[in-house]
Amino acid sequence: MNHLTLNVHTVTELQKICWSAELDLDLVQDSAMEALKTKKLFRYQFKETTSAVTNLEKEITEYVNCKYALGVSSATNGIFLALKACGVKPTDIVLIPAFTFTAVPSAVLQCNAHPILVDITDQYVIDLHDLKNKMARLNPRFLLLSHMRGHIPDMQKVIELCKAFNVILIEDAAHALGVKHQGKMAGTWGDIGIFSMQSYKILNAGEGGIIVTNNEELIWKCIHMSGAYENNYKLHMVEGRAGKKYRNQLPVFNCRLNNLSAAIARPQLQTIEKTILQTNQNYILFKDKLKQFKEIVFPMSDHYLIDQNKLDKYADDYLAGYTAMNRPVRDSIQMEINLDDKAKHKIMTICQGQNIPIGYFGGENNQNARLFWNWRFIGQSYRHNLICTNTRNFLQNVFDLRLPLHFTEKETEVVADGFAAVVKEWIKK
């Protein structure tokens, strides 16, 4: 079967493709060298001038249109600090979507709180009906809402529910920097939000995270807990008098961002719109190659994607809605494939053997870290077969594939053609 699926040329071209995150050295090397030449990698070494971290924070606030930002060592640590700053205490209930990465419930447990799972819909977003029911039944104080793979629910309705039930909203927007929804950037809807700069995200700093908020009290709490000991809080470009108020009043967890990571991220932020444009174009190309298969279903939110090569065919009012109101960032592909289990397993196996490292959320003995039934650290009762059955049943058909940021149209086309060939052969059977 394997040797019949793909022609020799396609196999050869696939083997050339690099799926690892690649740093654009031409883009970042000047900024990185400038940071190294200062010989100061610790952000608080800069007393008279601003550090690369401070400058990145300012630039992030301008990009997402919020008041405050704080660079931290990872998005997971950012979530932890955000939870602590919002007042999460031991035994508190924190609602989270059932489809997220294992680090999200881990951050809740780091606060000694209880993560309670909420179902998702077939659009990869939190189920508002299940969310409302659990808010009413459990009386939680916190919702940690992951925009998994950049997919966003109707945030206006989420905000209405949070207000109605007096719930604090923390946005895990690790996957969603640059995503626009109803005129606002993801991560800025809630009381506080978190972005990731891990290597496979839209900003690649190797590791790192950014906390954003419009709440002065919350940012000062995060600043102090991130490691602004003694008078280092004064080196943060945050107006207001709450900085001194929290000095020596909060635990220090030392999860600061360093200047080299910030220096690597800054040029990428300056070109992020160009990156998003190319990424979305790659996604559109991949999807067009698969439109022949009625068995493959893509998210409905894809209708917000626009082929930049065909802009002249769209009405101005439609384009205005796209550019100002809603804009996905598709640096990964999620698709539901409605075939039998044998076919789905074979598609995954053959693709992986041909250098298409696609993930599959179904099947037996699947150890994917995004499947809540694998989170054995949260306890059996939270992973029971009757918990979040909609999420479990839906994900059984879903395939997941990253589109690395360095991909060109050529590489995307080779992958799409290779994947289409595998699917086509199994649909014939």
Side-chain angles (χ1 to χ4, degrees), residues 37-68:
K37 286 177 182 178
T38 68
K39 301 181 181 180
K40 300 175 182 178
L41 298 187
F42 184 43
R43 70 172 298 164
Y44 296 135
Q45 287 179 278
F46 287 81
K47 307 295 184 183
E48 307 300 328
T49 60
T50 56
S51 67
V53 181
T54 303
N55 289 330
L56 174 64
E57 291 165 348
K58 181 177 184 296
E59 291 157 2
I60 283 286
T61 63
E62 294 169 350
Y63 179 66
V64 303
N65 190 27
C66 72
K67 289 183 178 179
Y68 312 116

Side-chain angles (χ1 to χ4, degrees), residues 56 60 63-64 147 150 152 173-180 185-187 194-197 201-204 210 212 268-269 272-273 276 327-329 331:
L56 174 64
I60 283 286
Y63 179 66
V64 303
H147 301 317
I152 298 184
H175 293 210
L177 180 59
V179 176
K180 296 180 183 179
M185 284 284 193
I194 304 95
F195 301 112
S196 175
M197 297 191 296
K201 302 303 188 296
I202 203 80
L203 293 186
N204 173 10
I210 302 173
V212 294
Q268 297 176 66
L269 181 61
I272 190 172
E273 288 298 309
I276 290 171
R327 194 265 309 273
V329 178
D331 58 349

Side-chain angles (χ1 to χ4, degrees), residues 208-219:
I210 302 173
I211 300 171
V212 294
T213 183
N214 289 312
N215 186 306
E216 181 192 332
E217 294 285 327
L218 290 182
I219 198 65

Side-chain angles (χ1 to χ4, degrees), residues 113-162:
H114 297 306
I116 300 296
L117 308 182
V118 181
D119 246 330
I120 65 162
T121 72
D122 61 1
Q123 298 303 306
Y124 308 95
V125 299
I126 199 164
D127 185 323
L128 297 180
H129 180 71
D130 192 36
L131 177 62
K132 181 177 180 180
N133 286 343
K134 284 175 177 167
M135 283 182 172
R137 180 165 55 88
L138 300 174
N139 193 30
R141 292 181 56 219
F142 309 96
L143 168 61
L144 174 53
L145 179 60
S146 294
H147 301 317
M148 190 60 174
R149 293 294 194 255
H151 299 289
I152 298 184
D154 186 329
M155 289 304 296
Q156 198 60 54
K157 292 182 179 178
V158 172
I159 295 295
E160 290 171 2
L161 284 174
C162 288

